[in-house]
Amino acid sequence: MKSNNISLPFYSNFLTDSELEWQMSRSEKYCLIEVLKTLSPDVSIEIGTYRGGSLQVLSKYSKNVCSIDISEEPQKFLKNKFDNVSFSIGNSYEIISKIILEIESKNRKVEFILIDGDHSKKGIIKDLESILSHKFKNPLTIIMHDSFNPQCRAGIKSIDYSKYTGIEHIELDYITGSFSPNKDYREMWGGFAMIKINTNQKTNYKVNASQDMLFKRAYVGSIHIIKDKLSFLKPIKKLIYSALSLKQKSDLYNNFNN
Ligand SMILES: C[S@@+](CC[C@H](N)C(=O)[O-])C[C@H]1O[C@@H](n2cnc3c(N)ncnc32)[C@H](O)[C@@H]1O
């Protein structure tokens, strides 16, 4: 039977828990496992946990993990699954700076951050600015999911990285994303962008986008070309959906029974 499911089948020695839905493609899963295995972080932070798919990898390879989610559902669903994970509920860009300071005050090192929360242009900018304005004393790897999504990519690209020190590498297409994945007709999702911070590095940043040509080709044939122009209608869409009791994608995150 034909399937355009970009995450299955997935064969790996990493034993996934089938109860923990993992919203990533095959290539992203392999990459996340390998990166974390290589880094063995002291402390990792995950922004955007949902049902814990990616969290299970962070938990296995890091000494401790802090999960941040705007919804209470991940904590309720996952609190008994991991003994090295703490859960913080709130808007990531409002609480992450305090969380990093708290971790460092205990002489622990934040060595890995996965950003997979608010994918809007404004959201990713706020997340990245909150993280990059912190002066890390140790090397840090940041992975941002959905760098192939036009809004998310535009946010990552628009930051003035020259303001921050220690940036060794920025790659928008560390892992390339997908076109029309699963049921998202002509949408562009997935992909990993990666930022490497090395505290001994002189700032000599250059935003690299090794698959920008592919991104631009895909964008021309995508639904985003229309959607992005109509984004000012989002509040109205919200009103119509709630008046008609229709479910939006984000409702899934606020109530796992949806
Ligand atoms: C795409 S899901 C995360 C998927 C998960 N990382 C995985 O790979 O299976 C996005 C999550 O981000 C959370 N989220 C959205 N906006 C957020 C924000 N501003 N701060 C923190 N979490 C947010 C949602 O509640 C949702 O659980």
Side-chain angles (χ1 to χ4, degrees):
M1 197 175 82
K2 269 192 177 175
S3 159
N4 68 344
N5 188 323
I6 56 167
S7 61
L8 296 172
F10 175 65
Y11 299 111
S12 169
N13 286 334
F14 184 95
L15 293 179
T16 48
D17 181 336
S18 57
E19 275 187 27
L20 309 181
E21 187 186 330
W22 190 354
Q23 294 196 318
M24 287 185 182
S25 72
R26 269 185 293 273
S27 42
E28 291 155 6
K29 290 177 178 179
Y30 287 121
C31 176
L32 192 66
I33 292 169
E34 190 55 32
V35 166
L36 278 154
K37 207 176 183 178
T38 307
L39 291 173
S40 302
D42 181 28
V43 181
S44 293
I45 296 178
E46 176 172 77
I47 295 178
T49 289
Y50 186 42
R51 285 178 183 263
S54 47
L55 183 63
Q56 66 191 314
V57 186
L58 274 67
S59 165
K60 177 162 170 114
Y61 295 114
S62 318
K63 283 202 189 95
N64 290 93
V65 183
C66 173
S67 147
I68 303 174
D69 205 290
I70 202 161
S71 160
E72 291 177 3
E73 293 288 284
Q75 182 190 24
K76 281 197 258 164
F77 180 64
L78 298 164
K79 64 175 183 252
N80 298 323
K81 287 261 182 201
F82 306 104
D83 53 18
N84 64 344
V85 177
S86 62
F87 293 88
S88 300
I89 298 159
N91 204 339
S92 49
Y93 33 84
E94 286 166 7
I95 60 175
I96 191 158
S97 304
K98 197 166 159 248
I99 289 173
I100 296 172
L101 285 171
E102 268 169 24
I103 294 168
E104 290 188 342
S105 73
K106 293 173 192 148
N107 286 325
R108 304 292 302 275
K109 292 186 250 175
V110 177
E111 293 180 309
F112 178 79
I113 301 180
L114 173 66
I115 307 181
D116 194 12
D118 180 348
H119 292 80
S120 67
K121 183 175 174 186
K122 275 188 195 154
I124 185 80
I125 292 175
K126 285 187 197 164
D127 273 341
L128 273 174
E129 287 184 341
S130 318
I131 295 167
L132 295 174
S133 51
H134 184 85
K135 295 236 176 313
F136 290 91
K137 296 181 199 80
N138 53 273
L140 165 70
T141 303
I142 305 169
I143 283 189
M144 292 140 276
H145 190 215
D146 291 312
S147 58
F148 205 58
N149 175 264
Q151 283 293 320
C152 195
R153 192 177 184 92
I156 302 169
K157 262 177 113 169
S158 70
I159 286 180
D160 176 7
Y161 290 97
S162 66
K163 287 197 306 202
Y164 307 104
T165 51
I167 296 177
E168 181 179 302
H169 213 97
I170 307 171
E171 169 60 64
L172 292 187
D173 302 300
Y174 193 61
I175 291 288
T176 307
S178 311
F179 185 82
S180 227
N182 306 333
K183 290 178 187 151
D184 295 328
Y185 180 64
R186 295 179 99 166
E187 292 191 23
M188 295 161 73
W189 287 103
F192 278 167
M194 189 275 295
I195 298 181
K196 180 88 190 167
I197 294 179
N198 185 341
T199 42
N200 298 320
Q201 200 75 14
K202 276 200 185 130
T203 299
N204 184 18
Y205 76 97
K206 179 178 164 292
V207 179
N208 200 42
S210 52
Q211 285 296 300
D212 217 34
M213 189 90 93
L214 176 70
F215 171 80
K216 284 175 181 152
R217 284 271 170 146
Y219 184 66
V220 176
S222 78
I223 203 97
H224 300 286
I225 238 172
I226 304 159
K227 260 191 168 177
D228 289 354
K229 290 201 175 80
L230 297 178
S231 60
F232 66 95
L233 292 173
K234 260 188 189 164
I236 300 169
K237 185 183 165 196
K238 239 184 177 176
L239 284 176
I240 296 172
Y241 269 62
S242 86
L244 298 175
S245 306
L246 293 173
K247 286 191 177 102
Q248 289 205 274
K249 247 189 197 174
S250 54
D251 294 337
L252 194 77
Y253 299 136
N254 299 323
N255 183 352
F256 283 2
N257 298 320
N258 267 321

